């Protein structure tokens, strides 16, 4: 069967190969006495808190399982809008919020609504691989701009200005970022939004990790930097990470009002609505008991970061920029290996620690960097660091080809 040509622009998810190998090794006799520690996982090790589970049970028992509006339950849109006021001091009208099947659907809708065939969209390298593929699936052209540690691995206004060409339509940023856990400083975000605005483009900001910010200097929504309370900046968010609801598949977009009908039309046709059970459960995310639990979890993520990052630095896996959010550390493994891909397989076999190589996040320095997730318990992180320490005589792998595939 002939595949559509757009498939040629969607690269395979290499990380899945690493995850598959890690699971295989984990099941092998070699791991019987020292089970694999999975630091390659991009989801919280917490599940939805009790009020959310109870709300789902109530909705199920009452048979409230019909379709909702394509834009989401009106109560949930209102509750999310209120959250922006409570948490960020932002005035967001509920009518600007569209509830989606995860940030993934939100990104897909935004790209389908804004990107035409051949339109270019600027993204940083490194960045979450699916984001460039959402652009490619809309037949746009993702343009990856190498982002340095000095720029917190993010785009700068000057970089956007320099790279803007005749076919450029906008930027797709993520703050805090996956894989680096670093955010764009608010003043830089304001400058980027201004550069894009002056060119009539769109500023699309994936803020899926915004709830998991650990540094007051960075924990601000880009919506604060649009004209008229963020009316020309689009924010994408999710119930997956801060709200610990990955498999429930729920997220949202905050859109300029004028864009809502276009996105609504797409959502109606593409998937009708996000899961109604998940939406009703999500209403309970904003109850004080749930928020207290989420805040306690955020503190745990922060404590894990404060343990892991110095530990990695002491192992010669240097983390050039302190992550200010999410649950990832982006570490340079070039003191140990010439290929991060080989390094990860080596550590998987020798230390039984699964780590993600940089390859998927962009070609710029993907062979130099690895991503470690600290969405694992402190005990697991401590054990992982001990094992890496034993497996890593500093400098021993430099210059060797350690690709064990
Ligand atoms: C930066 C980023 N954006 C979007 C997503 C998609 O999240 P979801 O569809 O679960 O909301 C992820 C998932 O890991 C992510 O890391």
């Amino acid at each position: 069967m002939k595949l559509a040509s757009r498939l040629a622009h969607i690269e395979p998810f290499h990380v899945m190969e690493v995850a598959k190998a890690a699971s295989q090794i984990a099941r092998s006799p070699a791991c019987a006495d020292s089970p694999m520690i999975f630091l390659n996982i991009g989801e919280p090790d917490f599940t939805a808190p009790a009020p959310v589970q109870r709300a789902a049970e109530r909705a199920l028992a009452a048979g409230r399982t019909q379709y909702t509006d394509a834009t989401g339950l009106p109560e949930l849109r209102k509750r999310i809008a209120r959250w922006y006021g409570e948490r960020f001091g932002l005035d967001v009208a509920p009518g600007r919020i569209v509830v989606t099947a995860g940030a993934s659907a939100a990104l897909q809708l935004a790209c389908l609504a804004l990107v035409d065939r051949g339109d270019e969209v600027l993204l940083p390298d490194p960045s979450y691989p699916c984001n460039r593929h959402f652009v490619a699936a809309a037949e746009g052209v993702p343009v990856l701009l190498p982002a340095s540690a000095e720029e917190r691995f993010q785009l700068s206004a000057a970089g956007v200005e320099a790279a803007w060409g005749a076919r450029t339509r906008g930027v797709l940023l993520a703050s805090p970022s996956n894989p680096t856990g670093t955010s764009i400083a608010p003043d830089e975000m304001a400058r980027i939004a201004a550069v894009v605005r002056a060119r009539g483009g769109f500023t699309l900001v994936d803020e899926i990790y915004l709830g998991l910010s650990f540094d007051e200097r960075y924990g601000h929504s880009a919506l604060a930097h649009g004209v008229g309370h963020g009316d020309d900046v689009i924010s994408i968010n999710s119930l997956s990470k801060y709200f610990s609801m990955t498999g429930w598949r729920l997220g949202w977009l905050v859109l300029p009002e004028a864009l809502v009908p276009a996105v609504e039309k797409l959502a109606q046709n593409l998937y009708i609505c996000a899961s109604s059970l998940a939406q009703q459960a999500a209403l309970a995310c904003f109850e004080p008991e749930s928020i207290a639990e989420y805040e306690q979890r955020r503190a745990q993520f922060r404590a894990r970061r404060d343990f892991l990052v110095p530990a990695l630095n002491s192992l010669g896996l240097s983390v050039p920029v302190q992550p200010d959010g999410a649950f990832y550390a982006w570490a340079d493994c070039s003191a140990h290996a010439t290929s991060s891909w080989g390094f990860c397989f080596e550590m998987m076999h020798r230390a039984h620690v699964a780590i993600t190589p940089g390859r998927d996040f962009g070609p710029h320095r993907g062979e130099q960097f690895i991503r470690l997730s600290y969405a694992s318990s402190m005990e697991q992180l401590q054990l992982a660091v001990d094992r890496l320490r034993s497996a890593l005589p500093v400098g021993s792998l430099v210059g060797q080809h350690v690709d064990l595939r």
Side-chain angles (χ1 to χ4, degrees):
M1 218 177 278
K2 183 186 169 299
L3 287 175
S5 54
R6 73 176 64 84
L7 262 293
H9 305 290
I10 314 269
E11 296 149 53
F13 214 163
H14 298 292
V15 162
M16 299 318 287
E17 271 186 63
V18 181
K20 252 193 294 179
S23 300
Q24 249 168 29
I25 299 167
R27 285 193 302 270
S28 73
C31 274
D33 296 328
S34 74
M36 184 72 73
I37 300 176
F38 294 92
L39 302 190
N40 58 331
I41 310 252
E43 65 181 328
D45 52 326
F46 302 112
T47 186
V52 178
Q53 295 178 25
R54 287 197 297 266
E57 283 162 13
R58 279 197 304 274
L60 185 60
R64 293 200 299 272
T65 51
Q66 292 77 15
Y67 292 140
T68 69
D69 292 347
T71 48
L73 280 177
E75 310 89 280
L76 184 58
R77 298 171 78 193
K78 266 194 221 144
R79 195 60 197 85
I80 292 170
R82 221 171 95 200
W83 183 72
Y84 278 100
E86 290 161 359
R87 193 160 181 124
F88 304 105
L90 291 174
D91 180 13
V92 174
R96 289 177 56 204
I97 291 176
V98 174
V99 176
T100 57
S104 303
L107 284 153
Q108 198 181 342
L109 292 174
C111 288
L112 289 176
L114 295 166
V115 177
D116 258 328
R117 177 176 297 174
D119 283 351
E120 292 180 357
V121 179
L122 309 178
L123 301 98
D125 176 350
S127 59
Y128 177 59
C130 305
N131 283 3
R132 64 179 185 270
H133 294 145
F134 290 121
V135 174
E139 302 189 48
V141 180
V143 177
L144 289 176
L145 304 179
S148 66
E150 293 69 37
E151 296 165 314
R152 308 183 56 70
F153 299 117
Q154 293 281 5
L155 296 192
S156 64
V160 170
E161 202 166 5
W164 200 279
R167 298 303 312 259
T168 312
R169 286 278 291 120
V171 294
L172 173 43
L173 313 166
S175 182
S177 143
N178 174 7
T180 64
T182 57
S183 297
I184 303 174
D187 53 351
E188 195 60 35
M189 183 69 87
R191 284 193 285 271
I192 293 173
V195 165
V196 174
R197 184 177 307 130
R199 286 155 183 76
F202 59 78
T203 300
L204 209 54
V205 191
D206 178 350
E207 300 192 311
I208 181 168
Y209 296 103
L210 184 63
L212 288 174
S213 289
F214 316 129
D215 185 328
E216 280 174 14
R217 286 173 299 170
Y218 298 105
H220 304 277
S221 171
L223 291 170
H225 307 299
V227 166
H229 298 294
D231 283 1
D232 66 347
V233 171
I234 297 168
S235 170
I236 280 125
N237 214 313
S238 175
L239 277 296
S240 287
K241 311 292 174 162
Y242 174 71
F243 297 100
S244 318
M245 291 179 75
T246 41
W248 300 68
R249 309 310 304 130
L250 217 52
W252 73 85
L253 281 153
V254 185
L255 293 162
E257 238 154 60
L259 260 186
V260 173
V263 167
E264 179 176 12
K265 182 168 74 175
L266 281 169
Q268 284 166 340
N269 281 282
L270 294 181
Y271 61 92
I272 301 181
C273 67
S275 154
S276 57
L277 267 183
Q279 291 189 63
Q280 288 165 84
L283 281 165
C285 286
F286 302 93
E287 287 173 13
E289 187 187 336
S290 306
I291 294 284
E293 174 86 35
Y294 291 132
E295 285 302 289
Q296 200 247 336
R297 293 174 180 183
R298 180 163 71 106
Q300 286 191 49
F301 281 123
R302 187 194 173 123
R304 293 171 186 180
R305 176 202 66 172
D306 291 344
F307 163 74
L308 185 64
V309 170
L312 292 174
N313 283 327
S314 77
L315 292 173
L317 294 169
S318 72
V319 179
V321 188
Q322 168 83 335
D324 56 78
F327 36 68
Y328 306 112
W330 185 239
D332 183 343
C333 67
S334 58
H336 295 290
T338 48
S339 143
S340 62
W341 184 264
F343 177 81
C344 288
F345 275 84
E346 180 85 3
M347 290 305 111
M348 217 187 301
H349 282 282
R350 291 202 358 225
H352 297 169
V353 176
I355 303 170
T356 302
R359 186 177 287 184
D360 284 313
F361 302 101
H364 175 46
R365 284 160 85 190
E367 284 303 328
Q368 190 181 338
F369 279 89
I370 53 175
R371 187 197 73 176
L372 298 98
S373 157
Y374 46 91
S376 292
S377 70
M378 189 64 106
E379 294 70 38
Q380 289 276 288
L381 292 177
Q382 283 164 345
L383 187 56
V385 167
D386 288 346
R387 289 204 200 151
L388 291 174
R389 182 164 284 121
S390 310
L392 271 183
V394 174
S396 66
L397 303 176
V398 174
Q400 288 181 32
H401 183 71
V402 287
D403 194 338
L404 299 182
R405 272 189 316 143

